[in-house]
PDB file of all heavy atoms in Angstrom:
ATOM      1  N   PHE S 210     -68.930  54.162   5.889  1.00  0.00           N
ATOM      2  CA  PHE S 210     -68.001  53.683   4.863  1.00  0.00           C
ATOM      3  C   PHE S 210     -66.831  52.959   5.519  1.00  0.00           C
ATOM      4  O   PHE S 210     -66.420  51.860   5.078  1.00  0.00           O
ATOM      5  CB  PHE S 210     -67.516  54.831   3.971  1.00  0.00           C
ATOM      6  CG  PHE S 210     -66.547  54.434   2.936  1.00  0.00           C
ATOM      7  CD1 PHE S 210     -66.929  53.616   1.878  1.00  0.00           C
ATOM      8  CD2 PHE S 210     -65.211  54.842   2.966  1.00  0.00           C
ATOM      9  CE1 PHE S 210     -66.033  53.213   0.910  1.00  0.00           C
ATOM     10  CE2 PHE S 210     -64.295  54.457   1.996  1.00  0.00           C
ATOM     11  CZ  PHE S 210     -64.720  53.625   0.952  1.00  0.00           C
ATOM     12  N   THR S 211     -66.275  53.520   6.569  1.00  0.00           N
ATOM     13  CA  THR S 211     -65.153  52.830   7.251  1.00  0.00           C
ATOM     14  C   THR S 211     -65.546  51.488   7.782  1.00  0.00           C
ATOM     15  O   THR S 211     -64.831  50.498   7.589  1.00  0.00           O
ATOM     16  CB  THR S 211     -64.632  53.742   8.448  1.00  0.00           C
ATOM     17  OG1 THR S 211     -64.066  54.942   7.834  1.00  0.00           O
ATOM     18  CG2 THR S 211     -63.560  53.111   9.287  1.00  0.00           C
ATOM     19  N   LEU S 212     -66.728  51.446   8.361  1.00  0.00           N
ATOM     20  CA  LEU S 212     -67.204  50.111   8.878  1.00  0.00           C
ATOM     21  C   LEU S 212     -67.422  49.133   7.751  1.00  0.00           C
ATOM     22  O   LEU S 212     -67.072  47.943   7.910  1.00  0.00           O
ATOM     23  CB  LEU S 212     -68.501  50.280   9.660  1.00  0.00           C
ATOM     24  CG  LEU S 212     -68.443  51.188  10.878  1.00  0.00           C
ATOM     25  CD1 LEU S 212     -69.761  51.186  11.664  1.00  0.00           C
ATOM     26  CD2 LEU S 212     -67.261  50.845  11.816  1.00  0.00           C
ATOM     27  N   GLU S 213     -67.862  49.627   6.591  1.00  0.00           N
ATOM     28  CA  GLU S 213     -68.062  48.724   5.460  1.00  0.00           C
ATOM     29  C   GLU S 213     -66.738  48.238   4.877  1.00  0.00           C
ATOM     30  O   GLU S 213     -66.562  47.091   4.473  1.00  0.00           O
ATOM     31  CB  GLU S 213     -68.860  49.391   4.344  1.00  0.00           C
ATOM     32  CG  GLU S 213     -70.316  49.538   4.760  1.00  0.00           C
ATOM     33  CD  GLU S 213     -71.176  50.261   3.700  1.00  0.00           C
ATOM     34  OE1 GLU S 213     -70.639  50.858   2.713  1.00  0.00           O
ATOM     35  OE2 GLU S 213     -72.442  50.307   3.887  1.00  0.00           O
ATOM     36  N   VAL S 214     -65.683  49.127   4.933  1.00  0.00           N
ATOM     37  CA  VAL S 214     -64.370  48.686   4.507  1.00  0.00           C
ATOM     38  C   VAL S 214     -63.820  47.575   5.452  1.00  0.00           C
ATOM     39  O   VAL S 214     -63.297  46.543   5.042  1.00  0.00           O
ATOM     40  CB  VAL S 214     -63.338  49.851   4.455  1.00  0.00           C
ATOM     41  CG1 VAL S 214     -61.909  49.384   4.245  1.00  0.00           C
ATOM     42  CG2 VAL S 214     -63.791  50.825   3.311  1.00  0.00           C
ATOM     43  N   VAL S 215     -64.031  47.835   6.728  1.00  0.00           N
ATOM     44  CA  VAL S 215     -63.599  46.819   7.735  1.00  0.00           C
ATOM     45  C   VAL S 215     -64.273  45.463   7.435  1.00  0.00           C
ATOM     46  O   VAL S 215     -63.607  44.410   7.426  1.00  0.00           O
ATOM     47  CB  VAL S 215     -63.891  47.296   9.223  1.00  0.00           C
ATOM     48  CG1 VAL S 215     -63.658  46.188  10.204  1.00  0.00           C
ATOM     49  CG2 VAL S 215     -63.005  48.483   9.539  1.00  0.00           C
ATOM     50  N   GLU S 216     -65.577  45.497   7.179  1.00  0.00           N
ATOM     51  CA  GLU S 216     -66.299  44.291   6.885  1.00  0.00           C
ATOM     52  C   GLU S 216     -65.762  43.634   5.582  1.00  0.00           C
ATOM     53  O   GLU S 216     -65.626  42.380   5.518  1.00  0.00           O
ATOM     54  CB  GLU S 216     -67.804  44.557   6.770  1.00  0.00           C
ATOM     55  CG  GLU S 216     -68.482  44.768   8.080  1.00  0.00           C
ATOM     56  CD  GLU S 216     -69.833  45.438   7.985  1.00  0.00           C
ATOM     57  OE1 GLU S 216     -70.428  45.471   6.864  1.00  0.00           O
ATOM     58  OE2 GLU S 216     -70.250  45.957   9.017  1.00  0.00           O
ATOM     59  N   ALA S 217     -65.486  44.442   4.588  1.00  0.00           N
ATOM     60  CA  ALA S 217     -64.985  43.861   3.335  1.00  0.00           C
ATOM     61  C   ALA S 217     -63.654  43.195   3.559  1.00  0.00           C
ATOM     62  O   ALA S 217     -63.420  42.082   3.039  1.00  0.00           O
ATOM     63  CB  ALA S 217     -64.830  44.998   2.320  1.00  0.00           C
ATOM     64  N   VAL S 218     -62.780  43.786   4.371  1.00  0.00           N
ATOM     65  CA  VAL S 218     -61.503  43.177   4.675  1.00  0.00           C
ATOM     66  C   VAL S 218     -61.736  41.871   5.481  1.00  0.00           C
ATOM     67  O   VAL S 218     -61.107  40.863   5.221  1.00  0.00           O
ATOM     68  CB  VAL S 218     -60.559  44.185   5.429  1.00  0.00           C
ATOM     69  CG1 VAL S 218     -59.320  43.531   5.948  1.00  0.00           C
ATOM     70  CG2 VAL S 218     -60.203  45.329   4.421  1.00  0.00           C
ATOM     71  N   GLN S 219     -62.568  41.990   6.494  1.00  0.00           N
ATOM     72  CA  GLN S 219     -62.798  40.811   7.401  1.00  0.00           C
ATOM     73  C   GLN S 219     -63.360  39.632   6.596  1.00  0.00           C
ATOM     74  O   GLN S 219     -63.191  38.494   6.993  1.00  0.00           O
ATOM     75  CB  GLN S 219     -63.743  41.210   8.504  1.00  0.00           C
ATOM     76  CG  GLN S 219     -63.030  41.990   9.620  1.00  0.00           C
ATOM     77  CD  GLN S 219     -63.974  42.482  10.687  1.00  0.00           C
ATOM     78  OE1 GLN S 219     -65.155  42.825  10.378  1.00  0.00           O
ATOM     79  NE2 GLN S 219     -63.560  42.475  11.932  1.00  0.00           N
ATOM     80  N   SER S 220     -64.065  39.940   5.469  1.00  0.00           N
ATOM     81  CA  SER S 220     -64.658  38.844   4.713  1.00  0.00           C
ATOM     82  C   SER S 220     -63.624  37.960   4.069  1.00  0.00           C
ATOM     83  O   SER S 220     -63.880  36.826   3.688  1.00  0.00           O
ATOM     84  CB  SER S 220     -65.664  39.401   3.671  1.00  0.00           C
ATOM     85  OG  SER S 220     -64.920  40.036   2.631  1.00  0.00           O
ATOM     86  N   GLU S 221     -62.411  38.433   3.942  1.00  0.00           N
ATOM     87  CA  GLU S 221     -61.296  37.666   3.315  1.00  0.00           C
ATOM     88  C   GLU S 221     -60.148  37.416   4.331  1.00  0.00           C
ATOM     89  O   GLU S 221     -59.339  36.468   4.081  1.00  0.00           O
ATOM     90  CB  GLU S 221     -60.710  38.395   2.109  1.00  0.00           C
ATOM     91  CG  GLU S 221     -61.661  38.501   0.938  1.00  0.00           C
ATOM     92  CD  GLU S 221     -61.975  37.162   0.304  1.00  0.00           C
ATOM     93  OE1 GLU S 221     -61.232  36.174   0.523  1.00  0.00           O
ATOM     94  OE2 GLU S 221     -62.992  37.120  -0.401  1.00  0.00           O
ATOM     95  N   TRP S 222     -60.050  38.207   5.345  1.00  0.00           N
ATOM     96  CA  TRP S 222     -58.875  38.115   6.241  1.00  0.00           C
ATOM     97  C   TRP S 222     -59.170  37.019   7.297  1.00  0.00           C
ATOM     98  O   TRP S 222     -60.226  37.051   7.897  1.00  0.00           O
ATOM     99  CB  TRP S 222     -58.619  39.484   6.934  1.00  0.00           C
ATOM    100  CG  TRP S 222     -57.390  39.550   7.720  1.00  0.00           C
ATOM    101  CD1 TRP S 222     -57.304  39.701   9.092  1.00  0.00           C
ATOM    102  CD2 TRP S 222     -56.061  39.459   7.225  1.00  0.00           C
ATOM    103  NE1 TRP S 222     -56.000  39.715   9.451  1.00  0.00           N
ATOM    104  CE2 TRP S 222     -55.183  39.573   8.349  1.00  0.00           C
ATOM    105  CE3 TRP S 222     -55.469  39.330   5.964  1.00  0.00           C
ATOM    106  CZ2 TRP S 222     -53.813  39.607   8.229  1.00  0.00           C
ATOM    107  CZ3 TRP S 222     -54.109  39.294   5.869  1.00  0.00           C
ATOM    108  CH2 TRP S 222     -53.268  39.435   6.979  1.00  0.00           C
TER     109      TRP S 222
END
Side-chain angles (χ1 to χ4, degrees):
F210 179 66
T211 294
L212 300 186
E213 288 179 352
V214 170
V215 170
E216 284 162 19
V218 169
Q219 283 175 324
S220 70
E221 294 292 343
W222 188 246

